Amino acid sequence: MAIRRGRGVAAINYPTGMNLGGDPTQALVHSTPTGNFMVTLSSVDLGQGMKQIMAQICAETIGVPTDRVVVDTADTDTGPHCMGTFASRGTHRAGNAVIQAAREARQVMLEVAAEELEVNASDLETDGQGNILVKGAPQKSISIFDVALSAHFKRGRSISGRGMFLIPRSYPEKETGAMKPSTCYAHACTVAEVEVDDETGEVTVVTVKNVFEIGRALNPKMVEQQLVGGSWMGISHALYETTEPYYPNRDHGGTDFNQYLMPGPGDLAETEIIVLERPSADGPYGAKGPGEMCANPQIPAVANAVFDAVGVRIDTLPITPERILRALKAQAAN
Amino acid sequence: MELRKNYFADVRKDDLNEIGQPRPRSDSPGHVTGKTAFFADRNFPGILHLKMVRSPHHHARIRSIDTSEAEKHPGVVKILTAKDVPHNVYTILILIQVGPEDETVLADGKVRWKGEAVVAVLAETERAAQEAAAKVKVDYEVLPAVFDMEEALKPGAPLVNEYHGQNYYLYDSGECRKVRFGDVEAGFAGADHILEESYQSSPIEHAPTETTGCVVAPEGNDRFTCYTNTQAMFFTLDNTSIILQMPGSKLHFVGGTVGGGFGGKVDVIVEPIAILGAKLTGRPVCFIYSREEEMQISSPRAAEKVVIKDGVMKDGRIVARKVTGYTDAGAYSRHSPYGAQKGAGHYPGPYTIPNVWIDTYCVYTNRTPSSAMRGFGVTIGDFALEVQMDKLARLIGMDPLEFRFINAYRDGDMKAHRQPTEGAALIECMQEASRAANWPVAEKYMAMSSYVKGA
């Protein structure tokens, strides 16, 4: 009887957005009288930080600091239609809608600035700090604060924009299944190291090294929180979780967190996250949806590591001590 | 976390001001100081609590429902049964033309899973609602139930859902979604080895911190404001409008920060009945799942069975792959026909295989309806595919990581569903994993690229 060590690898891809498309999201952007910007959506922030990302996307596109953007969302009286927050679609779909709306607002903003500065709008650029400058002559400038005041009180312009993003729906061909499930895919490769106690069947995940390719890390800190959380969830799926432990038997289902097993802080592996960025052609600033895929590769990586450690295949999830011990017993009997 | 900027530097401009910056989240201070408002923070004078009477049987005919004792219970204000729901038989994907309507808001004549909602009780307190619910008498005639997908698909199995007429979802392509690419039998015939393996999962709970729920307030102008933690505002509003036969203009949905979704809050379960309760009583109503309801009543991730048959050459090339996937939808569709179909678009994984055959089935059984969850249609498939890859590598005596390089998809490769690969990055992820995990592979694999040669 011994603690046996093994490692396993898995590589995966994952589609961004609702399968087969046809999932619209709209956005509205407008400026306040003093040049702050309001993004209006009906998308839902599930705790992953969607509002923050939409603010950064709007700020980047208009050319102002993020703290000058406020996001109002998840209200059907004020926000235009969003299909919902699911299918790794929030950043990709709503982000593209926000970019389109922000571009339209930026154009009006530049036109008003051009009138104030008596130049062509196409000769203007933003400095990202709240000012609009004449290209090549930065001493000639106007603040966005003043541009907004002018638009509201002097020029009678609405610095605002409408955004819409829709991937046309694809219908699978009946006989061949020819279809377009998605326009872009995130990628991952995970290596997991485990220790298996061949007496108790208990698995300890020692390290998980994840490489994720996500198009563009729009906010690296938020990417990290999502990827680390996903990696933990993957381990949890591999080793612990089910509402029906003896499926298809319906008995023994957990009804609270005492009975429904999930890893606690002491069960979490040393986790490494490495991010690659290959911008997607149709993503907002190249972003893909990493929200779902980051929880997938750990499951097979752990399963393969268990085999590497003790030489038995557990092809049924979750990989419980009971299943490992039964497999070891069957292996010994052969 | 490390960003490895050396990969794909030639196709990426790192010249942005706000994007790519690790700005602190504007909502974090509210979360950590307890100031963030969630839907359940709304309270209104005179609010009623809704509790469900649920089926104790997996499959049964309802002979009669007697609510007389429950109605007399102190604090009870209103009791709702199927006849009170204007459009009681519904399905949520009808909004994108995926029918048929196959589920009841409140059971009508039959229950098809243990835990199915039969009667809704609205009372002054949660306790009164709970106690009154226990006094509702439902006379059931228990029917044979089926729990196993293979049993459910056999001729003569108990019929789970009459609205489908058979125990699987009928796609326009027939009993399953199909993908056919190349000639899979010819591929098997020419292969050095064949490996056929079967993989199985069990239902999994989303386990959000905040359970599913909503608070509804009738407004003075004949409208209803529904504070909800749904993941999809208009999807829920529009389905509620259909179920209640109420113009959407009468409905105002307000979300906000949600305490975790993971796909568990896209089913439109609590809002319609709570709004109906508010309409019929003229009072605010809350309907919030207990943790037990969240775990056993709310849709889990589907159990899946995946059978993979591969033909592989000694040199490491996979020449044929046949995948048969089964998704256990439970008693009703919800999002499962979509999930099974998404699986068909995902197989055979991120590998270029010349001969592919895929069938994915959405199967009905007498269990808690499953639905969307993080990785919907893909997570369990990836478990199966990647364990299969490990087995194949060992079968031909090859390093499992090198084996994946040989088969990895690259830009321009035609996928089984007949889309050319674009934006691939699997090879680069594996190269970086090789370095990070100190898992060396031959130099020729480290020299590979996802780009089209010469492009």
Side-chain angles (χ1 to χ4, degrees), chain A residues 241-284:
Chain A
E241 291 190 63
T242 176
T243 54
E244 300 183 34
Y246 295 97
Y247 175 90
N249 186 320
R250 283 233 56 188
D251 301 334
H252 303 287
T255 55
D256 61 29
F257 287 120
N258 293 316
Q259 298 167 343
Y260 185 84
L261 288 186
M262 295 170 76
D267 303 313
L268 292 169
E270 185 186 315
T271 303
E272 189 172 331
I273 308 282
I274 296 169
V275 170
L276 314 185
E277 300 170 300
R278 182 177 188 186
S280 73
D282 72 345

mmCIF file of all heavy atoms in Angstrom, chain A residues 241-284:
data_model
loop_
_atom_site.group_PDB
_atom_site.id
_atom_site.type_symbol
_atom_site.label_atom_id
_atom_site.label_comp_id
_atom_site.label_asym_id
_atom_site.label_seq_id
_atom_site.Cartn_x
_atom_site.Cartn_y
_atom_site.Cartn_z
ATOM 1 N N GLU A 241 -18.082 16.162 -7.520
ATOM 2 C CA GLU A 241 -19.468 16.619 -7.571
ATOM 3 C C GLU A 241 -20.440 15.726 -8.323
ATOM 4 O O GLU A 241 -20.165 15.314 -9.444
ATOM 5 C CB GLU A 241 -19.517 17.990 -8.252
ATOM 6 C CG GLU A 241 -18.897 19.093 -7.454
ATOM 7 C CD GLU A 241 -19.197 20.435 -8.072
ATOM 8 O OE1 GLU A 241 -20.375 20.800 -8.148
ATOM 9 O OE2 GLU A 241 -18.239 21.102 -8.490
ATOM 10 N N THR A 242 -21.593 15.466 -7.712
ATOM 11 C CA THR A 242 -22.766 14.970 -8.421
ATOM 12 C C THR A 242 -23.975 15.025 -7.490
ATOM 13 O O THR A 242 -23.844 14.818 -6.280
ATOM 14 C CB THR A 242 -22.593 13.532 -8.957
ATOM 15 O OG1 THR A 242 -23.847 13.124 -9.540
ATOM 16 C CG2 THR A 242 -22.213 12.551 -7.863
ATOM 17 N N THR A 243 -25.134 15.324 -8.068
ATOM 18 C CA THR A 243 -26.378 15.288 -7.295
ATOM 19 C C THR A 243 -26.946 13.879 -7.236
ATOM 20 O O THR A 243 -27.894 13.621 -6.516
ATOM 21 C CB THR A 243 -27.445 16.208 -7.911
ATOM 22 O OG1 THR A 243 -27.602 15.851 -9.288
ATOM 23 C CG2 THR A 243 -27.050 17.667 -7.801
ATOM 24 N N GLU A 244 -26.384 12.959 -8.038
ATOM 25 C CA GLU A 244 -26.882 11.582 -8.055
ATOM 26 C C GLU A 244 -25.679 10.632 -8.088
ATOM 27 O O GLU A 244 -25.282 10.149 -9.143
ATOM 28 C CB GLU A 244 -27.807 11.365 -9.267
ATOM 29 C CG GLU A 244 -29.009 12.308 -9.211
ATOM 30 C CD GLU A 244 -30.000 12.086 -10.351
ATOM 31 O OE1 GLU A 244 -30.172 10.940 -10.794
ATOM 32 O OE2 GLU A 244 -30.594 13.079 -10.791
ATOM 33 N N PRO A 245 -25.128 10.351 -6.885
ATOM 34 C CA PRO A 245 -23.861 9.603 -6.823
ATOM 35 C C PRO A 245 -23.945 8.197 -7.416
ATOM 36 O O PRO A 245 -22.929 7.651 -7.831
ATOM 37 C CB PRO A 245 -23.566 9.525 -5.321
ATOM 38 C CG PRO A 245 -24.419 10.572 -4.688
ATOM 39 C CD PRO A 245 -25.606 10.765 -5.567
ATOM 40 N N TYR A 246 -25.157 7.627 -7.448
ATOM 41 C CA TYR A 246 -25.289 6.274 -8.011
ATOM 42 C C TYR A 246 -26.176 6.277 -9.253
ATOM 43 O O TYR A 246 -26.946 5.357 -9.494
ATOM 44 C CB TYR A 246 -25.786 5.292 -6.938
ATOM 45 C CG TYR A 246 -24.757 5.144 -5.833
ATOM 46 C CD1 TYR A 246 -24.857 5.880 -4.662
ATOM 47 C CD2 TYR A 246 -23.647 4.330 -6.017
ATOM 48 C CE1 TYR A 246 -23.880 5.790 -3.680
ATOM 49 C CE2 TYR A 246 -22.661 4.228 -5.043
ATOM 50 C CZ TYR A 246 -22.788 4.956 -3.878
ATOM 51 O OH TYR A 246 -21.815 4.863 -2.922
ATOM 52 N N TYR A 247 -26.049 7.388 -10.020
ATOM 53 C CA TYR A 247 -26.788 7.507 -11.271
ATOM 54 C C TYR A 247 -26.714 6.205 -12.050
ATOM 55 O O TYR A 247 -25.620 5.633 -12.139
ATOM 56 C CB TYR A 247 -26.196 8.655 -12.087
ATOM 57 C CG TYR A 247 -26.792 8.825 -13.449
ATOM 58 C CD1 TYR A 247 -27.893 9.639 -13.648
ATOM 59 C CD2 TYR A 247 -26.259 8.144 -14.547
ATOM 60 C CE1 TYR A 247 -28.454 9.781 -14.908
ATOM 61 C CE2 TYR A 247 -26.821 8.276 -15.805
ATOM 62 C CZ TYR A 247 -27.911 9.094 -15.984
ATOM 63 O OH TYR A 247 -28.469 9.227 -17.213
ATOM 64 N N PRO A 248 -27.785 5.691 -12.677
ATOM 65 C CA PRO A 248 -29.086 6.329 -12.822
ATOM 66 C C PRO A 248 -30.023 6.149 -11.621
ATOM 67 O O PRO A 248 -31.159 6.650 -11.679
ATOM 68 C CB PRO A 248 -29.673 5.654 -14.067
ATOM 69 C CG PRO A 248 -29.054 4.306 -14.088
ATOM 70 C CD PRO A 248 -27.676 4.492 -13.523
ATOM 71 N N ASN A 249 -29.584 5.487 -10.570
ATOM 72 C CA ASN A 249 -30.368 5.438 -9.346
ATOM 73 C C ASN A 249 -30.528 6.861 -8.821
ATOM 74 O O ASN A 249 -29.568 7.630 -8.818
ATOM 75 C CB ASN A 249 -29.617 4.556 -8.335
ATOM 76 C CG ASN A 249 -30.410 4.327 -7.073
ATOM 77 O OD1 ASN A 249 -31.069 5.218 -6.563
ATOM 78 N ND2 ASN A 249 -30.342 3.115 -6.567
ATOM 79 N N ARG A 250 -31.718 7.205 -8.364
ATOM 80 C CA ARG A 250 -31.954 8.584 -7.938
ATOM 81 C C ARG A 250 -31.662 8.816 -6.452
ATOM 82 O O ARG A 250 -31.811 9.937 -5.971
ATOM 83 C CB ARG A 250 -33.413 8.978 -8.225
ATOM 84 C CG ARG A 250 -33.675 9.292 -9.686
ATOM 85 C CD ARG A 250 -34.333 10.647 -9.881
ATOM 86 N NE ARG A 250 -33.554 11.727 -9.282
ATOM 87 C CZ ARG A 250 -33.971 12.970 -9.187
ATOM 88 N NH1 ARG A 250 -35.157 13.315 -9.618
ATOM 89 N NH2 ARG A 250 -33.209 13.894 -8.639
ATOM 90 N N ASP A 251 -31.274 7.790 -5.724
ATOM 91 C CA ASP A 251 -31.086 7.941 -4.288
ATOM 92 C C ASP A 251 -29.757 8.622 -3.945
ATOM 93 O O ASP A 251 -28.889 8.769 -4.791
ATOM 94 C CB ASP A 251 -31.132 6.568 -3.599
ATOM 95 C CG ASP A 251 -32.459 5.876 -3.858
ATOM 96 O OD1 ASP A 251 -33.448 6.605 -4.102
ATOM 97 O OD2 ASP A 251 -32.501 4.634 -3.853
ATOM 98 N N HIS A 252 -29.640 8.999 -2.674
ATOM 99 C CA HIS A 252 -28.409 9.541 -2.089
ATOM 100 C C HIS A 252 -28.017 10.911 -2.629
ATOM 101 O O HIS A 252 -26.853 11.295 -2.567
ATOM 102 C CB HIS A 252 -27.223 8.578 -2.279
ATOM 103 C CG HIS A 252 -27.465 7.215 -1.706
ATOM 104 N ND1 HIS A 252 -27.462 6.969 -0.354
ATOM 105 C CD2 HIS A 252 -27.746 6.031 -2.315
ATOM 106 C CE1 HIS A 252 -27.715 5.686 -0.163
ATOM 107 N NE2 HIS A 252 -27.903 5.092 -1.320
ATOM 108 N N GLY A 253 -28.988 11.645 -3.193
ATOM 109 C CA GLY A 253 -28.668 12.978 -3.706
ATOM 110 C C GLY A 253 -28.453 13.962 -2.578
ATOM 111 O O GLY A 253 -29.212 13.994 -1.610
ATOM 112 N N GLY A 254 -27.436 14.772 -2.681
ATOM 113 C CA GLY A 254 -27.152 15.780 -1.660
ATOM 114 C C GLY A 254 -28.191 16.887 -1.674
ATOM 115 O O GLY A 254 -28.730 17.233 -2.727
ATOM 116 N N THR A 255 -28.500 17.422 -0.484
ATOM 117 C CA THR A 255 -29.457 18.518 -0.406
ATOM 118 C C THR A 255 -28.851 19.762 0.248
ATOM 119 O O THR A 255 -29.523 20.765 0.393
ATOM 120 C CB THR A 255 -30.707 18.095 0.394
ATOM 121 O OG1 THR A 255 -30.292 17.617 1.678
ATOM 122 C CG2 THR A 255 -31.468 17.001 -0.332
ATOM 123 N N ASP A 256 -27.605 19.684 0.673
ATOM 124 C CA ASP A 256 -26.917 20.870 1.192
ATOM 125 C C ASP A 256 -25.413 20.669 1.028
ATOM 126 O O ASP A 256 -24.962 19.627 0.532
ATOM 127 C CB ASP A 256 -27.292 21.149 2.661
ATOM 128 C CG ASP A 256 -26.901 20.009 3.597
ATOM 129 O OD1 ASP A 256 -25.912 19.282 3.304
ATOM 130 O OD2 ASP A 256 -27.582 19.831 4.621
ATOM 131 N N PHE A 257 -24.645 21.648 1.471
ATOM 132 C CA PHE A 257 -23.202 21.579 1.233
ATOM 133 C C PHE A 257 -22.479 20.612 2.175
ATOM 134 O O PHE A 257 -21.277 20.408 2.043
ATOM 135 C CB PHE A 257 -22.582 22.985 1.295
ATOM 136 C CG PHE A 257 -22.929 23.822 0.094
ATOM 137 C CD1 PHE A 257 -23.612 25.025 0.228
ATOM 138 C CD2 PHE A 257 -22.594 23.399 -1.182
ATOM 139 C CE1 PHE A 257 -23.937 25.788 -0.887
ATOM 140 C CE2 PHE A 257 -22.914 24.149 -2.299
ATOM 141 C CZ PHE A 257 -23.591 25.354 -2.150
ATOM 142 N N ASN A 258 -23.197 20.042 3.138
ATOM 143 C CA ASN A 258 -22.598 18.968 3.921
ATOM 144 C C ASN A 258 -22.600 17.662 3.145
ATOM 145 O O ASN A 258 -21.712 16.830 3.294
ATOM 146 C CB ASN A 258 -23.361 18.771 5.239
ATOM 147 C CG ASN A 258 -23.191 19.959 6.158
ATOM 148 O OD1 ASN A 258 -22.090 20.465 6.312
ATOM 149 N ND2 ASN A 258 -24.282 20.413 6.745
ATOM 150 N N GLN A 259 -23.654 17.494 2.331
ATOM 151 C CA GLN A 259 -23.802 16.231 1.604
ATOM 152 C C GLN A 259 -23.277 16.311 0.168
ATOM 153 O O GLN A 259 -22.864 15.303 -0.392
ATOM 154 C CB GLN A 259 -25.277 15.836 1.556
ATOM 155 C CG GLN A 259 -25.869 15.599 2.933
ATOM 156 C CD GLN A 259 -27.375 15.511 2.887
ATOM 157 O OE1 GLN A 259 -28.004 15.925 1.912
ATOM 158 N NE2 GLN A 259 -27.965 14.982 3.935
ATOM 159 N N TYR A 260 -23.385 17.489 -0.412
ATOM 160 C CA TYR A 260 -22.939 17.659 -1.789
ATOM 161 C C TYR A 260 -21.469 18.045 -1.748
ATOM 162 O O TYR A 260 -21.111 19.138 -1.317
ATOM 163 C CB TYR A 260 -23.762 18.744 -2.483
ATOM 164 C CG TYR A 260 -23.428 18.896 -3.941
ATOM 165 C CD1 TYR A 260 -24.018 18.074 -4.895
ATOM 166 C CD2 TYR A 260 -22.517 19.853 -4.376
ATOM 167 C CE1 TYR A 260 -23.705 18.200 -6.237
ATOM 168 C CE2 TYR A 260 -22.197 19.986 -5.705
ATOM 169 C CZ TYR A 260 -22.793 19.163 -6.634
ATOM 170 O OH TYR A 260 -22.487 19.293 -7.972
ATOM 171 N N LEU A 261 -20.613 17.129 -2.180
ATOM 172 C CA LEU A 261 -19.187 17.327 -1.977
ATOM 173 C C LEU A 261 -18.575 18.279 -2.988
ATOM 174 O O LEU A 261 -18.768 18.151 -4.195
ATOM 175 C CB LEU A 261 -18.453 15.991 -2.049
ATOM 176 C CG LEU A 261 -18.662 15.049 -0.863
ATOM 177 C CD1 LEU A 261 -17.757 13.838 -1.030
ATOM 178 C CD2 LEU A 261 -18.385 15.738 0.462
ATOM 179 N N MET A 262 -17.837 19.220 -2.447
ATOM 180 C CA MET A 262 -17.015 20.116 -3.261
ATOM 181 C C MET A 262 -15.699 20.290 -2.512
ATOM 182 O O MET A 262 -15.653 20.115 -1.307
ATOM 183 C CB MET A 262 -17.695 21.479 -3.424
ATOM 184 C CG MET A 262 -18.985 21.390 -4.213
ATOM 185 S SD MET A 262 -19.920 22.940 -4.143
ATOM 186 C CE MET A 262 -18.985 23.933 -5.259
ATOM 187 N N PRO A 263 -14.643 20.630 -3.219
ATOM 188 C CA PRO A 263 -13.364 20.777 -2.523
ATOM 189 C C PRO A 263 -13.378 21.992 -1.602
ATOM 190 O O PRO A 263 -13.956 23.021 -1.933
ATOM 191 C CB PRO A 263 -12.353 20.969 -3.648
ATOM 192 C CG PRO A 263 -13.144 21.411 -4.816
ATOM 193 C CD PRO A 263 -14.523 20.866 -4.659
ATOM 194 N N GLY A 264 -12.762 21.861 -0.467
ATOM 195 C CA GLY A 264 -12.548 22.999 0.412
ATOM 196 C C GLY A 264 -11.176 23.583 0.134
ATOM 197 O O GLY A 264 -10.433 23.072 -0.711
ATOM 198 N N PRO A 265 -10.824 24.660 0.850
ATOM 199 C CA PRO A 265 -9.528 25.319 0.596
ATOM 200 C C PRO A 265 -8.355 24.351 0.695
ATOM 201 O O PRO A 265 -7.391 24.466 -0.061
ATOM 202 C CB PRO A 265 -9.457 26.379 1.699
ATOM 203 C CG PRO A 265 -10.879 26.619 2.088
ATOM 204 C CD PRO A 265 -11.612 25.335 1.885
ATOM 205 N N GLY A 266 -8.441 23.366 1.593
ATOM 206 C CA GLY A 266 -7.330 22.434 1.759
ATOM 207 C C GLY A 266 -7.216 21.417 0.638
ATOM 208 O O GLY A 266 -6.220 20.713 0.533
ATOM 209 N N ASP A 267 -8.246 21.335 -0.192
ATOM 210 C CA ASP A 267 -8.242 20.342 -1.274
ATOM 211 C C ASP A 267 -7.753 20.922 -2.599
ATOM 212 O O ASP A 267 -7.712 20.217 -3.607
ATOM 213 C CB ASP A 267 -9.660 19.797 -1.494
ATOM 214 C CG ASP A 267 -10.234 19.198 -0.223
ATOM 215 O OD1 ASP A 267 -9.511 18.419 0.421
ATOM 216 O OD2 ASP A 267 -11.378 19.519 0.121
ATOM 217 N N LEU A 268 -7.455 22.214 -2.613
ATOM 218 C CA LEU A 268 -7.130 22.849 -3.883
ATOM 219 C C LEU A 268 -5.655 22.701 -4.227
ATOM 220 O O LEU A 268 -4.783 22.865 -3.381
ATOM 221 C CB LEU A 268 -7.536 24.323 -3.843
ATOM 222 C CG LEU A 268 -9.066 24.485 -3.782
ATOM 223 C CD1 LEU A 268 -9.427 25.928 -3.477
ATOM 224 C CD2 LEU A 268 -9.723 24.032 -5.068
ATOM 225 N N ALA A 269 -5.435 22.410 -5.475
ATOM 226 C CA ALA A 269 -4.066 22.174 -5.934
ATOM 227 C C ALA A 269 -3.322 23.492 -6.103
ATOM 228 O O ALA A 269 -3.921 24.550 -6.263
ATOM 229 C CB ALA A 269 -4.113 21.461 -7.278
ATOM 230 N N GLU A 270 -2.014 23.387 -6.095
ATOM 231 C CA GLU A 270 -1.181 24.508 -6.523
ATOM 232 C C GLU A 270 -1.517 24.757 -7.996
ATOM 233 O O GLU A 270 -1.443 23.848 -8.820
ATOM 234 C CB GLU A 270 0.284 24.094 -6.360
ATOM 235 C CG GLU A 270 1.284 25.177 -6.651
ATOM 236 C CD GLU A 270 2.704 24.625 -6.602
ATOM 237 O OE1 GLU A 270 3.034 23.872 -5.664
ATOM 238 O OE2 GLU A 270 3.452 24.920 -7.541
ATOM 239 N N THR A 271 -1.951 25.980 -8.288
ATOM 240 C CA THR A 271 -2.528 26.257 -9.608
ATOM 241 C C THR A 271 -1.695 27.285 -10.361
ATOM 242 O O THR A 271 -1.404 28.355 -9.834
ATOM 243 C CB THR A 271 -3.967 26.780 -9.450
ATOM 244 O OG1 THR A 271 -4.728 25.806 -8.731
ATOM 245 C CG2 THR A 271 -4.631 27.015 -10.806
ATOM 246 N N GLU A 272 -1.312 26.924 -11.563
ATOM 247 C CA GLU A 272 -0.551 27.856 -12.392
ATOM 248 C C GLU A 272 -1.379 28.199 -13.629
ATOM 249 O O GLU A 272 -1.980 27.317 -14.246
ATOM 250 C CB GLU A 272 0.777 27.199 -12.799
ATOM 251 C CG GLU A 272 1.734 28.151 -13.475
ATOM 252 C CD GLU A 272 3.110 27.518 -13.701
ATOM 253 O OE1 GLU A 272 3.503 26.634 -12.903
ATOM 254 O OE2 GLU A 272 3.760 27.897 -14.687
ATOM 255 N N ILE A 273 -1.404 29.474 -13.953
ATOM 256 C CA ILE A 273 -2.174 29.938 -15.114
ATOM 257 C C ILE A 273 -1.232 30.685 -16.053
ATOM 258 O O ILE A 273 -0.560 31.636 -15.643
ATOM 259 C CB ILE A 273 -3.297 30.921 -14.694
ATOM 260 C CG1 ILE A 273 -4.176 30.343 -13.587
ATOM 261 C CG2 ILE A 273 -4.103 31.362 -15.921
ATOM 262 C CD1 ILE A 273 -5.201 29.346 -13.999
ATOM 263 N N ILE A 274 -1.208 30.257 -17.291
ATOM 264 C CA ILE A 274 -0.440 30.966 -18.326
ATOM 265 C C ILE A 274 -1.421 31.330 -19.437
ATOM 266 O O ILE A 274 -2.232 30.494 -19.851
ATOM 267 C CB ILE A 274 0.698 30.086 -18.880
ATOM 268 C CG1 ILE A 274 1.701 29.789 -17.748
ATOM 269 C CG2 ILE A 274 1.386 30.759 -20.063
ATOM 270 C CD1 ILE A 274 2.716 28.731 -18.091
ATOM 271 N N VAL A 275 -1.362 32.581 -19.878
ATOM 272 C CA VAL A 275 -2.330 33.045 -20.873
ATOM 273 C C VAL A 275 -1.614 33.424 -22.164
ATOM 274 O O VAL A 275 -0.630 34.170 -22.150
ATOM 275 C CB VAL A 275 -3.140 34.247 -20.327
ATOM 276 C CG1 VAL A 275 -3.961 34.891 -21.430
ATOM 277 C CG2 VAL A 275 -4.041 33.789 -19.188
ATOM 278 N N LEU A 276 -2.127 32.903 -23.276
ATOM 279 C CA LEU A 276 -1.690 33.298 -24.614
ATOM 280 C C LEU A 276 -2.814 34.088 -25.265
ATOM 281 O O LEU A 276 -3.985 33.868 -24.956
ATOM 282 C CB LEU A 276 -1.369 32.071 -25.478
ATOM 283 C CG LEU A 276 -0.518 30.938 -24.882
ATOM 284 C CD1 LEU A 276 -0.224 29.896 -25.974
ATOM 285 C CD2 LEU A 276 0.756 31.457 -24.284
ATOM 286 N N GLU A 277 -2.451 34.993 -26.158
ATOM 287 C CA GLU A 277 -3.446 35.831 -26.810
ATOM 288 C C GLU A 277 -3.281 35.788 -28.331
ATOM 289 O O GLU A 277 -2.345 36.385 -28.855
ATOM 290 C CB GLU A 277 -3.308 37.290 -26.361
ATOM 291 C CG GLU A 277 -3.491 37.518 -24.866
ATOM 292 C CD GLU A 277 -3.109 38.935 -24.486
ATOM 293 O OE1 GLU A 277 -1.938 39.321 -24.701
ATOM 294 O OE2 GLU A 277 -3.980 39.662 -23.976
ATOM 295 N N ARG A 278 -4.183 35.085 -29.005
ATOM 296 C CA ARG A 278 -4.276 35.193 -30.463
ATOM 297 C C ARG A 278 -5.600 35.887 -30.753
ATOM 298 O O ARG A 278 -6.654 35.245 -30.696
ATOM 299 C CB ARG A 278 -4.236 33.818 -31.130
ATOM 300 C CG ARG A 278 -4.295 33.949 -32.648
ATOM 301 C CD ARG A 278 -4.191 32.647 -33.423
ATOM 302 N NE ARG A 278 -4.068 32.977 -34.837
ATOM 303 C CZ ARG A 278 -4.076 32.104 -35.825
ATOM 304 N NH1 ARG A 278 -4.177 30.827 -35.547
ATOM 305 N NH2 ARG A 278 -3.971 32.509 -37.071
ATOM 306 N N PRO A 279 -5.589 37.179 -31.035
ATOM 307 C CA PRO A 279 -6.847 37.923 -31.146
ATOM 308 C C PRO A 279 -7.789 37.283 -32.169
ATOM 309 O O PRO A 279 -7.359 36.857 -33.241
ATOM 310 C CB PRO A 279 -6.401 39.308 -31.613
ATOM 311 C CG PRO A 279 -4.973 39.419 -31.182
ATOM 312 C CD PRO A 279 -4.413 38.028 -31.289
ATOM 313 N N SER A 280 -9.062 37.214 -31.824
ATOM 314 C CA SER A 280 -10.028 36.662 -32.766
ATOM 315 C C SER A 280 -10.466 37.760 -33.722
ATOM 316 O O SER A 280 -10.493 38.937 -33.366
ATOM 317 C CB SER A 280 -11.237 36.095 -32.021
ATOM 318 O OG SER A 280 -12.029 37.139 -31.514
ATOM 319 N N ALA A 281 -10.799 37.346 -34.937
ATOM 320 C CA ALA A 281 -11.119 38.316 -35.986
ATOM 321 C C ALA A 281 -12.351 39.133 -35.631
ATOM 322 O O ALA A 281 -12.437 40.311 -35.974
ATOM 323 C CB ALA A 281 -11.324 37.580 -37.314
ATOM 324 N N ASP A 282 -13.312 38.531 -34.948
ATOM 325 C CA ASP A 282 -14.555 39.268 -34.689
ATOM 326 C C ASP A 282 -14.775 39.538 -33.201
ATOM 327 O O ASP A 282 -15.876 39.864 -32.786
ATOM 328 C CB ASP A 282 -15.754 38.532 -35.289
ATOM 329 C CG ASP A 282 -16.096 37.269 -34.515
ATOM 330 O OD1 ASP A 282 -15.265 36.811 -33.705
ATOM 331 O OD2 ASP A 282 -17.209 36.740 -34.719
ATOM 332 N N GLY A 283 -13.747 39.419 -32.387
ATOM 333 C CA GLY A 283 -13.907 39.675 -30.961
ATOM 334 C C GLY A 283 -13.679 41.137 -30.630
ATOM 335 O O GLY A 283 -12.957 41.830 -31.343
ATOM 336 N N PRO A 284 -14.272 41.638 -29.542
ATOM 337 C CA PRO A 284 -14.003 43.005 -29.121
ATOM 338 C C PRO A 284 -12.544 43.128 -28.688
ATOM 339 O O PRO A 284 -12.143 42.475 -27.725
ATOM 340 C CB PRO A 284 -14.970 43.218 -27.950
ATOM 341 C CG PRO A 284 -15.299 41.850 -27.468
ATOM 342 C CD PRO A 284 -15.175 40.923 -28.636
#
